[in-house]
Amino acid sequence: MDAMTSTTTSAFAPSAAENSDERRPGSEWWRTAVIYQIYPRSFADASGDGIGDIPGITARLDDLVSLGVDAVWLSPFYRSPQNDAGYDVADYCDVDPLFGTLADVDEMLAEAHGRGIRVIVDLVPNHSSDRHVWFQEALAAGPGSAERARYMFRDGRGEDGELPPNNWESVFGGPAWTRVTEADGRPGQWYLHLFDSSQPDFDWSNPVVQEEFRRILRFWLDRGVDGFRVDVAHGLVKSDGLPDHLPAVDADSMGGGDEDVPYWGQEGVHEIYRDWNRVLAEYGGDRALCAEAWLPTVDKTALWVRPDEMHQAFNFPYLMTAWDAAAIREVISESLRAFPAVGAPATWVLSNHDVVRHASRLALTAENPQGHGIGPDSPGQPIPDVGLRRARAATTVMLALPGSAYVYQGEELGLPEVIDLPDDARQDPTWFRTAHERYGRDGCRVPIPWDADAPAYGFSPTGASWLPQPADWAPLARSAQEGDADSTLWLYRSLLATRRSTGLGAGTLEWLDGYGEDVLAFRVQAEGGAVTVIANVGTEPVALPAATVLVASEPFEGGLLPVDTAVWLATD
Ligand code: GLC
C-alpha cells in the first residue's frame, strides 16, 4: 500500500539540533519557520478609528504565541496617503500616524522578540508614493534634472509628445504612464507606474536610488527587524530602451506567463539583491530577505534565492495550483527539487492580501488571476460549503512540507473571501482603474473577527471597521472557536504544535504509492519522527492504513478518510 516511489531530499534542511546554532549555514531560522502575515490595517485596532494599528498588534501577540507561529511579516505601516493600502510609501523611515509611531514599532519589536517571535517588515522598492518628497522634487525640477532621474520620466511619442513612451499597461488596469504638467503649465513628460498613477517607479539604474535603499535597509535593521519581505521583487529593473511589450495583451497579470515581459524578471534585478544580501550580512542573527516575485514557474522563482541573493521567495506557483492531486504533487516535487538545488528552502503559501482567500479560492469554478478578486457578478462562484473543507485539508498538507510556510491572518479562523462587499465600500485601486470590471482585493482584507459578541467582532473598541464585516461572522470569531476542538483555530494550533514536536518543516519527503491518483500521500522523515500525510482530493472515501492519527483536517470515524480531508499519521 505504501511502497515508496520516489524520494525528494531537502539537502539543506537542518535537524532540530542544528537549529540551536543560528549561525551555522543550513540551520537558519527562516529555513523552517512558519511566518504569519499581519495586514496591519485589518488585524487589530487599538485606537478605535476603524483601521488596525501597531499597538493593536502588540496587544494581540499572545494570541500568535498560542497559535504557535515562529515569525510575523507586517505589510507596510509607513507614512503613506494609502492609495494602495500603504504600498504607496511617502516616507520609508517613519510610521504613518494611522498606525502609530516609531516608538510603537520599537515596543512591538521588543514585545515580539521577548516572546520568541521574529519580525519581518515590508520593503517597497519598485515605486514610491507620488507624495514622496523625491517625486515632488522631480515634478518641480523639470526635464533632464537629477531629481527626475530618480524616477522613470520620458518624453512622449507623437508630434507633441502626446502619446505614452511605450504600450505598457498597469497591473491595476489602464496605461502604465501618466503625463505631467510642467511648471510653465504645458503638458510635459510622462512617468512610469507599473501600478497606480500615484505609485511612480524608481529608476534602479541610478546609484542615488541604490544608496537610498541601502540606507532604508540599515534604518530598519538597526531597529532590530529580522528581515524584509520585498514587494514586486521581479519588477525593479526594466529592459533597456523600454521596448513595447509584445504581445500587448495580457500585460495586466503579475506573472506575465511564459513570455518575455520587458519589466518582469530582468537579469539586472539580481545584482540588487546580491548587494542587499551583503548589507544584511553586516548584521547578525540570520536576517532574511523574502522575494515577492510573481513568476510563472518554480525554476524561475528559484533564481531569486541563489546563495548570494535572497533567502526565500514566495512559492506562487504552489499558491496558484488548483485542487487537483496530480497538479499539487507536481508543484511540490518541483519545489523540493528547485529550491534546495540552489541552497534555499522551499516555501509554501496559500493566501495573502492580494489573492482570493483559499477557503473560497479552492472551490472556485473558474480561473481567477491574482489580484482580480471576486464579487457577486463574477463567473465561477465558489461551490458552497466545499471551500473551507478544502482549505483545511490544503493547510494540513502545506504545514507538513519541508521548508518555510506563510499563513495569512484570518485563515486560522477559516475566513472566506467576502464576495458581497457593497460597491461603495471597495477601495482597491484595481476596482477604480478597471471601471469596476475587476473587483480587486478588498474581499480578502476585511478586518478579522476576535470576539463574537463585541462591536466589530472585537476588531476595534468603537465598532468602526474600514471595510464592513459580514453579519454572519460571529461563529468565525476567535472567541467562538476557542471552546470548539473541531474549529479551524484548533486545527491550526494542533498542526503547528505537532509540526514543532515532530520537527516537520525540515526533513525529507517521499511520495507513497497505492492510494489512487486523486490522493496525495507522502511520508516526511523528520528529526522527531516520521509522519505520513494522506489527503483525499478525489470524490470517494480513501482507506487509511492502521496508524495513530496525529491531526485530521476534519473529524471522521473508522478507517475511511472522507473527501476533501487530510490527515497526519504517526509512522514507524
Ligand atoms: C505587491 C503587493 C500589493 C501591491 C503591489 C504594489 O504585489 O503585495 O498589495 O498592491 O505590490 O505595491
Side-chain angles (χ1 to χ4, degrees), residues 222 248 261 269 432 483 485 508:
D222 286 339
V261 183
V269 293
F432 300 102
T508 54

Side-chain angles (χ1 to χ4, degrees), residues 84 87 124 127 172 195 199 229 231-232 254 292 353-354 441 445:
D84 185 21
Y87 282 95
V124 188
H127 47 263
F172 292 159
F195 294 88
Q199 293 167 296
R229 173 268 189 192
D231 192 63
V232 196
M254 285 277 269
E292 188 227 17
H353 66 292
D354 290 329
R441 303 159 294 174
R445 299 174 174 181

Side-chain angles (χ1 to χ4, degrees), residues 34-308:
V34 175
I35 303 173
Y36 182 94
Q37 181 189 355
I38 293 179
Y39 192 66
R41 55 171 39 234
S42 302
F43 185 69
D45 170 24
S47 72
D49 65 356
I51 298 182
D53 46 40
I54 304 290
I57 296 170
T58 307
R60 294 292 188 181
L61 286 172
D62 285 335
D63 294 282
L64 300 182
V65 172
S66 69
L67 182 60
V69 299
D70 302 300
V72 292
W73 146 39
L74 273 64
S75 284
F77 48 75
Y78 315 111
R79 270 198 193 263
S80 159
Q82 304 290 321
N83 278 343
D84 185 21
Y87 282 95
D88 47 324
V89 181
D91 184 344
Y92 289 83
C93 297
D94 201 3
V95 177
D96 196 282
L98 273 179
F99 299 116
T101 63
L102 275 172
D104 291 332
V105 171
D106 289 342
E107 186 186 348
M108 182 268 299
L109 277 169
E111 292 289 329
H113 287 158
R115 289 168 173 79
I117 294 182
R118 314 231 183 199
V119 181
I120 292 176
V121 296
D122 218 306
L123 186 74
V124 188
N126 181 66
H127 47 263
S128 71
S129 161
D130 61 354
R131 308 309 304 166
H132 192 288
V133 63
W134 274 13
F135 194 73
Q136 293 298 312
E137 288 171 0
L139 290 179
S145 62
E147 287 83 354
R148 286 216 173 166
R150 299 186 287 214
Y151 292 92
M152 305 286 288
F153 279 89
R154 294 291 184 278
D155 294 331
R157 294 187 290 194
E159 211 161 296
D160 298 312
E162 73 280 10
L163 299 172
N166 66 26
N167 72 345
W168 298 358
E169 288 183 17
S170 156
V171 173
F172 292 159
W177 294 93
T178 292
R179 194 171 194 188
V180 302
T181 303
E182 302 296 358
D184 61 6
R186 281 194 290 193
Q189 287 193 300
W190 299 71
Y191 66 89
L192 176 69
H193 51 87
L194 290 183
F195 294 88
D196 188 53
S197 55
S198 64
Q199 293 167 296
D201 282 44
F202 286 114
D203 186 341
W204 269 92
S205 67
N206 186 336
V208 174
V209 173
Q210 298 166 11
E211 185 53 31
E212 174 65 358
F213 272 87
R214 283 182 208 113
R215 183 184 77 82
I216 294 165
L217 287 171
R218 291 196 174 100
F219 178 87
W220 291 105
L221 290 165
D222 286 339
R223 294 196 106 80
V225 304
D226 298 287
F228 300 89
R229 173 268 189 192
V230 179
D231 192 63
V232 196
H234 58 321
L236 277 54
V237 172
K238 281 74 180 177
S239 187
D240 278 347
L242 311 183
D244 275 352
H245 175 210
L246 303 171
V249 291
D250 192 28
D252 61 338
S253 89
M254 285 277 269
D258 278 330
E259 59 191 297
D260 184 26
V261 183
Y263 43 87
W264 295 147
Q266 298 297 307
E267 187 53 32
V269 293
H270 298 288
E271 208 39 62
I272 299 169
Y273 305 132
R274 292 189 183 105
D275 181 39
W276 292 3
N277 180 303
R278 291 189 288 271
V279 173
L280 266 68
E282 295 166 11
Y283 292 77
D286 293 343
R287 319 276 180 127
L289 291 166
C290 176
E292 188 227 17
W294 285 88
L295 297 155
T297 64
V298 166
D299 280 312
K300 288 193 176 172
T301 310
L303 297 176
W304 268 251
V305 288
R306 288 173 288 189
D308 56 350

